[in-house]
Amino acid sequence: MGRTSPGAPPSSLGAIRLSFRPPGSEPYQPPNPLAVWAFNRYFRSQLAKHFATTRLASVSDAARWDRAVPTLFVANHTSWWDGLLAFVVTRELGFRGHILMDAVSLERYAAFRSAGAVPVRRSSPRAAYDDLRAARRCLKAEVALWIFPQGARRPQTERPEHLGRGAAGLARGHDRPVRVCPVAFRYTYLGEQLPEAFAWLGQPRIVGPGEYGSRRALALVLEQDLLGALDTLDGLLRTESLGAFRTIVAGPLSINKRMDRVRHALGLLRGPFEARNG
């Protein structure tokens, strides 16, 4: 083979080697602040339009969490609304946020990238593994990453069991401890004209690098955490025990309550005005 002169361009193979980066080595890209502001306004307006209230509660005081510890939210996936609600909850908690989103859908709605959406390909286990490794760069201080380990939307009545191991891999494979918090979402009617949306943050756990022995072992633990959060939320909704929740987005009053408000203003009804039915 002939020798390449010092001024000759590198071979194509050399160029490929120089440009290749292993999954997860790409620099972290925070969400665009303008895009986050715009999507936050739009998502809140949609929640206000379609739900009587959107409510949030947490087992622990999220305001006291050590923000130097990256946070991984592990949520059930039953509705089109889950991504919007996850985005708004992230803003309510004061995090910069990222949400893992199916790569095919994200290609179709590429604007979500600017607001923090991160692609995960489901075309093969290897592609999904590489994308999850790349997503690990989002686990930084003051940042929260959302994952829906059911992999696809499932009926609300279906228990989230036999979950994927992506969340476990993200937490165990990180080079520093990660806070993993289960999140239960529910959408239900509780006496109002419109349904109500609920987010319940379960008890978080701190997972150190390589802890719990294997991805499989940790995945089983995180599955039980998520099931526990769902059971707690379902129990509160069955008895309509809403005292632990705070309203993060208020929707329109039911028709009868709007009529009552007018009657109160005209002095036709006595006593305080009650915004809720029941």
Side-chain angles (χ1 to χ4, degrees), residues 101-113 117 119-120 122:
M101 183 173 175
D102 178 73
V104 174
S105 298
L106 185 54
E107 185 176 355
R108 190 178 305 147
Y109 306 106
F112 289 146
R113 283 180 180 269
V120 56
R122 305 189 187 279

Side-chain angles (χ1 to χ4, degrees), residues 6-254:
S11 68
S12 58
L13 177 60
I16 291 173
R17 286 175 176 168
L18 288 173
S19 63
F20 173 75
R21 285 182 174 179
S25 65
E26 299 87 349
Y28 171 68
Q29 293 291 332
N32 180 286
L34 181 59
V36 170
W37 175 85
F39 276 109
N40 187 51
R41 284 180 60 89
Y42 177 69
F43 289 166
R44 286 177 180 273
S45 72
Q46 290 301 297
L47 289 168
K49 179 180 179 181
H50 294 281
F51 294 96
T53 61
T54 300
R55 295 169 178 260
L56 171 65
S58 178
V59 171
S60 63
D61 185 358
R64 295 179 176 272
W65 289 355
D66 180 2
R67 297 306 174 96
V69 178
T71 297
L72 178 64
F73 287 116
V74 181
N76 64 314
H77 188 20
T78 65
S79 171
W80 178 89
W81 291 100
D82 293 337
L84 276 69
L85 185 51
F87 184 95
V88 171
V89 167
T90 303
R91 297 291 295 165
E92 282 290 322
L93 298 176
F95 286 104
R96 295 198 306 274
H98 296 274
I99 300 175
L100 282 165
M101 183 173 175
D102 178 73
V104 174
S105 298
L106 185 54
E107 185 176 355
R108 190 178 305 147
Y109 306 106
F112 289 146
R113 283 180 180 269
S114 62
V118 177
V120 56
R121 291 168 292 169
R122 305 189 187 279
S123 55
S124 71
R126 181 67 199 185
Y129 176 78
D130 286 344
D131 286 347
L132 287 170
R133 282 188 64 194
R136 196 176 292 149
R137 68 186 186 276
C138 298
L139 290 172
K140 301 173 66 68
E142 305 286 346
V143 178
L145 174 64
W146 288 80
I147 185 171
F148 298 92
Q150 288 171 282
R153 191 196 67 79
R154 303 300 304 160
Q156 186 160 281
T157 55
E158 182 178 306
R159 303 274 287 172
E161 298 174 320
H162 310 296
L163 303 179
R165 302 176 190 175
L170 282 166
R172 287 189 75 253
H174 201 43
D175 58 4
R176 57 187 295 189
V178 175
R179 177 186 300 103
V180 185
C181 182
V183 182
F185 290 144
R186 285 291 188 241
Y187 311 89
T188 188
Y189 283 91
L190 293 180
E192 300 300 320
Q193 182 180 357
L194 293 175
E196 300 182 64
F198 293 88
W200 173 265
L201 276 59
Q203 185 63 47
R205 66 174 63 244
I206 304 298
V207 178
E211 286 190 349
Y212 293 88
S214 67
R215 284 198 308 152
R216 176 181 173 81
L218 178 56
L220 292 173
V221 172
L222 300 182
E223 180 178 300
Q224 292 305 307
D225 288 349
L226 180 55
L227 288 169
L230 280 165
D231 288 342
T232 299
L233 177 55
D234 287 342
L236 293 171
L237 296 181
R238 273 195 300 272
T239 57
E240 298 190 19
S241 303
L242 307 182
F245 292 88
R246 63 185 177 94
T247 298
I248 58 175
V249 180
L253 295 173
S254 299

